[in-house]
Amino acid sequence: SPSQPEVSCKPTRTPTFLRESTCELIIMNQKSAAIKKWLRNCKIKSLNNRGKNSKALLDFVKQIIRGESKAPSSFISGLTEKLKGQTIDEELAHLQIQHLAKDLPSTAEKKRFLREQITILLRK
């Protein structure tokens, strides 16, 4: 019989934040001023270079995802506010909480729920 591929036993962290790919899309679509504001809120020095600022913000997102940095509530709000339609459902699924949001009637309520849940998850 064919040998089974080896399964890695490294524990995967339960997701506590938006997916990196989602954050990257949001950040790349922001104007330079919005990125600088987020950097200020996250206490990261901003440079006069949109590319470097975007990268600094994305590096910060990676740290949040790895549990190495704390996300300010204004940053969580800012990111969740930019989510649209299907992406909201995908993020709820990513955080394994879509079943809790299935009865929420509006996009605004789903966003609020997502923001609240991320805030709670990051506090753990």
Side-chain angles (χ1 to χ4, degrees):
S1 65
S3 64
Q4 291 297 93
E6 218 170 286
V7 179
S8 153
C9 292
K10 192 171 155 277
T12 53
R13 288 186 45 144
T14 308
T16 55
F17 200 63
L18 301 171
R19 292 172 301 174
E20 188 183 322
S21 56
T22 301
C23 295
E24 187 168 9
L25 277 174
I26 293 171
I27 290 167
M28 294 309 167
N29 285 317
Q30 295 316 297
K31 293 191 169 61
S32 196
I35 291 174
K36 283 183 175 173
K37 186 179 155 208
W38 277 348
L39 287 170
R40 255 198 326 276
N41 291 343
C42 298
K43 299 188 172 40
I44 299 166
K45 192 177 174 331
S46 86
L47 306 158
N48 280 328
N49 179 317
R50 187 175 180 275
K52 285 182 179 166
N53 284 344
S54 300
K55 187 183 178 311
L57 207 49
L58 202 58
D59 287 343
F60 183 62
V61 163
K62 289 176 185 172
Q63 290 172 1
I64 296 167
I65 290 170
R66 290 196 302 260
E68 296 163 7
S69 287
K70 293 265 175 259
S73 56
S74 58
F75 187 50
I76 299 170
S77 301
L79 286 172
T80 49
E81 202 39 59
K82 304 284 178 207
L83 295 172
K84 292 180 177 63
Q86 192 190 343
T87 314
I88 300 170
D89 293 325
E90 288 169 3
E91 292 303 329
L92 289 165
H94 164 68
L95 294 170
Q96 301 161 8
I97 53 175
Q98 73 273 37
H99 60 289
L100 301 171
K102 68 179 189 305
D103 297 328
L104 297 176
S106 72
T107 298
E109 287 185 76
K110 281 186 181 176
K111 279 187 195 180
R112 194 182 70 227
F113 177 72
L114 187 59
R115 188 179 69 230
E116 288 167 354
Q117 290 301 310
I118 288 172
T119 305
I120 293 165
L121 287 165
L122 287 174
R123 263 198 228 117
K124 283 183 178 169

